[in-house]
Amino acid sequence: MHYDFFAPPQIHFGWDRFQEAGTLAASLGSRALIISGSRSLETNGVLDELKSLLSRAGISSEHIRTISHEPEVTDVDQVTNILQHHTLGAGDFLIGIGGGSGIDLAKACAAMITNRESETVLDYLEGVGQGLQLKAKPLPLMAIPTTAGTGSEATKNAVISSYAPAFKKSLRSPEMIPDIILCDPKLACSVPPEITARTGMDAITQLLESYISCRAQPIPQALSLQGLKLAIPALPQAVADGNSRTGRESMAHAALLSGIALANSGLGMAHGVAPALGTHCRIPHGLACAVMLPSTLKANRSVCETQYADIARHLDPGLSLSDADAADSLIQQIEALNASIDIPATLSELGVTREQIPALVADSRGNSMRGNPREISDDELTGILQDLL
């Protein structure tokens, strides 16, 4: 064995622990600049409650920006510029609250505000711009996830998009892992069923892909198994009943584990194609991952039969099947899960056309695809996407 393992320095998890936000944040500083990921956090009073909790702990706060879409280069540059005008100094820190979009924007801005070799995040993104590296430590950051999906609260990257030109790339550094994670599953109770389904399948995709990745490592694999055992039965429950404490707790914990797993082991084909589906077809990330997952499992079956069988037996210890049949049962279970929560089975249902496939194939060659357990040629990927229409 030979590996490195990255994990957030502090994780505070539990139902109704949002009430500890002020006490926990006090260790980061005395002024909180808040970036949020949904207008609903304003309308349902969560942001006001956060500011009140901070105030009671002696922390002043200011809400900087709400983002209701996946963060783009312009969003990061604009918010970083706003932060510059706040004359940041000792005692200042960021809070990212929301889903993956809000937390990714907060992570990117925390890094960019202390790294000013270029005024645009574009020059620091993988595979585009000038290839600049983040050298200075980011501003301290607390992440408060309110959906159970991306696991961004536990990862060392932020995914940033552009539509002209079309790309979705990562800003990445081990220093970008948030200093404090406050994960209260109760905050997700207001998330609508459709979003619960999509974000939940993103987490499940991350757990599966990191387990079979060519970079897979033992600690993340153990975390992935626990996450899958929780998430696969819990997701339909959380979709059917948003107030289900068992469903929400299980999904929040699984999403957190998925973030730790992917930060260490990487991902695969589903997450390789998903960014291209987002930038070329405007398909939400979790939905793209969910639709791609069964095909990804089938494409990798020839080299992952043993891993699939191990996962299937972990999910059902009483399973008495051969490796081949157990592997098939896992793929069938994921297909049935998708169907049970109304995830489309084809890309054509999402508006993808045959004419878009060459661009999708060309733009699927990022860091995630490099983690796939076997090489997928352009011709093979073209065939997989055509078969999904």
Side-chain angles (χ1 to χ4, degrees):
M1 292 185 186
H2 185 84
Y3 63 84
D4 298 318
F5 181 72
F6 298 93
Q10 289 189 51
I11 299 172
H12 303 273
F13 184 100
W15 195 263
D16 219 21
R17 292 196 70 179
F18 183 56
Q19 300 304 314
E20 300 174 35
T23 304
L24 294 172
S27 66
L28 295 181
S30 56
R31 182 173 67 155
L33 303 166
I34 302 169
I35 295 172
S36 59
S38 172
R39 292 288 175 197
S40 64
L41 296 174
E42 297 178 63
T43 58
N44 65 15
V46 171
L47 280 183
D48 285 340
E49 185 177 7
L50 174 59
K51 295 178 78 171
S52 176
L53 291 167
L54 293 168
S55 178
R56 275 183 253 162
I59 300 168
S60 62
S61 63
E62 184 171 343
H63 182 215
I64 300 297
R65 173 69 66 90
T66 291
I67 185 168
S68 55
H69 56 267
E70 295 176 11
E72 301 172 28
V73 170
T74 52
D75 294 312
V76 178
D77 292 347
Q78 288 172 4
V79 176
T80 302
N81 186 56
I82 292 170
L83 291 172
Q84 279 190 296
H85 285 86
H86 279 73
T87 317
L88 301 181
D92 290 331
F93 65 98
L94 290 183
I95 295 179
I97 180 170
S101 295
I103 293 175
D104 270 2
L105 180 59
K107 288 165 67 178
C109 292
M112 285 301 298
I113 194 64
T114 59
N115 289 269
R116 305 306 298 156
E117 190 175 347
S118 171
E119 293 186 359
T120 176
V121 70
L122 175 67
D123 290 330
Y124 294 85
L125 298 179
E126 295 176 340
V128 294
Q130 297 183 38
L132 298 180
Q133 300 297 308
L134 297 173
K135 298 174 182 176
K137 186 175 176 63
L139 208 64
L141 174 64
M142 170 186 273
I144 307 176
T146 61
T147 64
T150 66
S152 178
E153 65 271 16
T155 66
K156 54 187 176 182
N157 68 303
V159 180
I160 310 301
S161 299
S162 169
Y163 297 98
F167 65 76
K168 187 179 285 192
K169 298 291 184 179
S170 281
L171 179 68
R172 191 184 309 272
S173 167
E175 298 285 353
M176 288 177 60
I177 297 176
D179 299 278
I180 296 176
I181 297 172
L182 174 56
C183 187
D184 181 349
K186 186 178 179 181
L187 293 174
C189 286
S190 61
V191 177
E194 183 179 49
I195 304 303
T196 298
R198 295 174 180 181
T199 57
M201 284 308 300
D202 185 15
I204 288 171
T205 303
Q206 290 169 174
L207 292 165
L208 284 166
E209 288 199 302
S210 63
Y211 188 91
I212 64 172
S213 165
C214 63
R215 309 168 186 158
Q217 299 174 8
I219 296 175
Q221 282 186 318
L223 298 179
S224 292
L225 287 175
Q226 185 191 43
L228 288 166
K229 187 143 188 170
L230 289 170
I232 289 177
L235 182 54
Q237 188 176 0
V239 170
D241 177 9
N243 290 312
S244 166
R245 178 166 177 170
T246 299
R248 292 300 188 186
E249 283 182 339
S250 295
M251 288 310 304
H253 188 57
L256 174 63
L257 296 181
S258 80
I260 298 172
L262 78 87
N264 287 277
S265 294
L267 294 164
M269 189 182 90
H271 273 83
V273 177
L277 288 170
T279 54
H280 289 284
C281 309
R282 300 294 181 117
I283 297 172
H285 176 74
L287 180 58
C289 289
V291 175
M292 287 301 305
L293 181 56
S295 293
T296 298
L297 293 174
K298 292 173 185 176
N300 291 313
R301 190 192 181 289
S302 63
V303 297
C304 294
E305 181 177 281
T306 301
Q307 291 100 312
Y308 291 1
D310 289 343
I311 295 169
R313 294 186 183 111
H314 183 77
L315 297 175
D316 180 4
L319 199 65
S320 56
L321 297 173
S322 66
D323 279 4
D325 289 342
D328 288 340
S329 75
L330 176 66
I331 297 172
Q332 292 161 6
Q333 187 172 9
I334 295 302
E335 289 177 323
L337 175 59
N338 267 353
S340 74
I341 56 175
D342 296 325
I343 297 293
T346 66
L347 291 174
S348 57
E349 293 173 73
L350 305 180
V352 179
T353 64
R354 188 171 295 270
E355 292 71 27
Q356 290 174 306
I357 288 180
L360 294 175
V361 171
D363 286 348
S364 294
R365 299 296 173 186
N367 187 63
S368 292
M369 187 66 89
R370 288 192 288 274
N372 201 64
R374 72 176 185 86
E375 183 73 24
I376 304 287
S377 69
D378 285 355
D379 286 345
E380 183 179 3
L381 185 56
T382 296
I384 290 170
L385 294 177
Q386 288 175 343
D387 289 345
L388 265 176
L389 291 176

